[in-house]
Amino acid sequence: MMIQQQGKKVGLPLMNLVRLNRTPILKQLHLEEKLLRKSSTNWCIINDGTDTPAIVMGISGKPSELLEIGSVLRDHVPVIKRFTGGGTVVVDKGTVFVTLICNKDDVPGVQPYPRSIMSWSGLLYNQVFKGIADFQLRENDYVFGNRKFGGNAQSITKNRWIHHTSFLWDYAEGNMAYLKQPARAPEYRMERGHTEFVCRMNEYLPRTDFLENTTEAIETYFSVKNVNLEATEEPCGAEFVPSTRLLSKQELEEALGPQPEIIGVSV
């Protein structure tokens, strides 16, 4: 049996797997962008939670349209604009991040276009969630039934692409209040509020099972090699300046716009 299993891996492209735990999401996104643009190797990054809560927006996201900026400023919640597309998410220690960075020629049948990559990812995660609830890929989201638990974003270069997912293992309902109802939303959302639209993965399977299932699913497409974080420095060479960044307080205040002055009235 061992010989047969090893034989299946012959000829599969190499995938370096980096496991992180509570790594700050800004640091993770900087690493991902560097590996996408400077490395020529396939990478999978699994980060089991981030150290502090933060809001992460897509590259074209506008805070004034997506965030309750007054609450964000009041509570000093960091807002990050990442280098990929996609929507806005509040992340914290209950979020599990899975990132795939691939050479386009190493995933047969997948074209370097968003729909093709999403379709392939749906096949991958069908293996992860086989037999668990009613898993589906719906309008670029991972859902159980009609409730979302995984949001995706992508970036595509000439020869490589990245597909990364924020999985809601758990979430604080209060954090959802930082997000406005988006003007553009998937049809299946049916104008539901955030807490009616999303669900917690921990209600469906153990965390360890999800992490193990994900690794096993990736091994059907790649020969996986576990590496440490230091290994990510080797292929990238010179200093890299990422485009992912933390929005400043000034930028958020400008997006909030002028607020009505409250004038006290003596009685």
Side-chain angles (χ1 to χ4, degrees):
M1 179 65 70
M2 182 62 69
I3 294 175
Q4 291 176 345
Q5 289 175 341
Q6 289 176 343
K8 290 180 182 179
K9 297 181 184 298
V10 173
L12 291 179
L14 176 66
M15 168 80 74
N16 286 334
L17 172 61
V18 183
R19 299 177 186 272
L20 305 175
N21 186 38
R22 301 283 178 90
T23 296
I25 186 58
L26 183 60
K27 180 178 179 180
Q28 178 187 334
L29 288 166
H30 285 171
L31 172 63
E32 291 176 2
E33 188 174 1
K34 181 179 69 172
L35 293 175
L36 174 67
R37 304 194 189 283
K38 294 294 185 178
S39 173
S40 59
T41 305
N42 301 306
W43 296 86
C44 175
I45 299 171
I46 300 177
N47 184 15
D48 195 357
T50 185
D51 60 342
T52 56
I55 297 168
V56 184
M57 305 173 59
I59 192 170
S60 60
K62 297 180 179 179
S64 60
E65 298 176 0
L66 298 168
L67 306 180
E68 297 291 353
I69 300 177
S71 300
V72 171
L73 287 168
R74 179 196 66 209
D75 296 341
H76 307 287
V77 183
V79 179
I80 297 165
K81 182 166 281 193
R82 64 177 180 264
F83 67 101
T84 57
T88 303
V89 62
V90 184
V91 300
D92 58 20
K93 64 182 180 181
T95 312
V96 180
F97 307 93
V98 180
T99 298
L100 297 164
I101 304 171
C102 301
N103 294 318
K104 67 180 182 67
D105 294 333
D106 284 343
V107 191
V110 177
Q111 300 300 313
Y113 301 106
R115 183 171 295 182
S116 181
I117 297 168
M118 276 302 322
S119 296
W120 174 78
S121 80
L123 296 175
L124 177 78
Y125 284 107
N126 263 324
Q127 296 177 242
V128 175
F129 298 110
K130 185 177 181 180
I132 300 171
D134 180 20
F135 170 75
Q136 300 175 61
L137 170 63
R138 294 188 69 172
E139 301 181 56
N140 301 328
D141 295 333
Y142 301 139
V143 302
F144 289 133
N146 67 349
R147 302 191 72 178
K148 175 179 177 178
F149 67 90
N152 303 286
Q154 300 170 346
S155 182
I156 301 169
T157 66
K158 181 180 179 181
N159 296 310
R160 288 163 66 74
W161 50 260
I162 180 172
H163 175 85
H164 52 190
T165 307
S166 300
F167 288 101
L168 294 177
W169 179 257
D170 196 5
Y171 64 87
E173 289 191 15
N175 287 345
M176 296 299 167
Y178 296 126
L179 305 178
K180 287 183 176 179
Q181 194 88 344
R184 294 177 58 189
E187 186 177 339
Y188 80 93
R189 181 167 182 158
M190 298 183 293
E191 299 184 358
R192 287 176 291 168
H194 292 292
T195 54
E196 290 76 34
F197 175 52
V198 300
C199 66
R200 295 176 171 88
M201 286 177 63
N202 63 12
E203 298 174 359
Y204 295 88
L205 77 166
R207 197 165 184 142
T208 53
D209 285 4
F210 168 63
L211 297 173
E212 290 174 6
N213 291 354
T214 299
T215 303
E216 290 176 4
I218 293 169
E219 287 176 339
T220 64
Y221 296 93
F222 297 93
S223 177
V224 175
K225 177 183 178 183
N226 288 282
V227 299
N228 57 31
L229 186 59
E230 288 69 28
T232 64
E233 301 294 334
E234 296 175 6
C236 300
E239 187 74 16
F240 174 72
V241 180
S243 61
T244 297
R245 64 187 184 87
L246 189 67
L247 297 188
S248 68
K249 180 182 178 183
Q250 180 179 345
E251 287 177 291
L252 293 174
E253 289 174 339
E254 290 174 353
L256 180 63
Q259 299 301 295
E261 184 178 355
I262 299 176
I263 302 175
V265 179
S266 300
V267 178

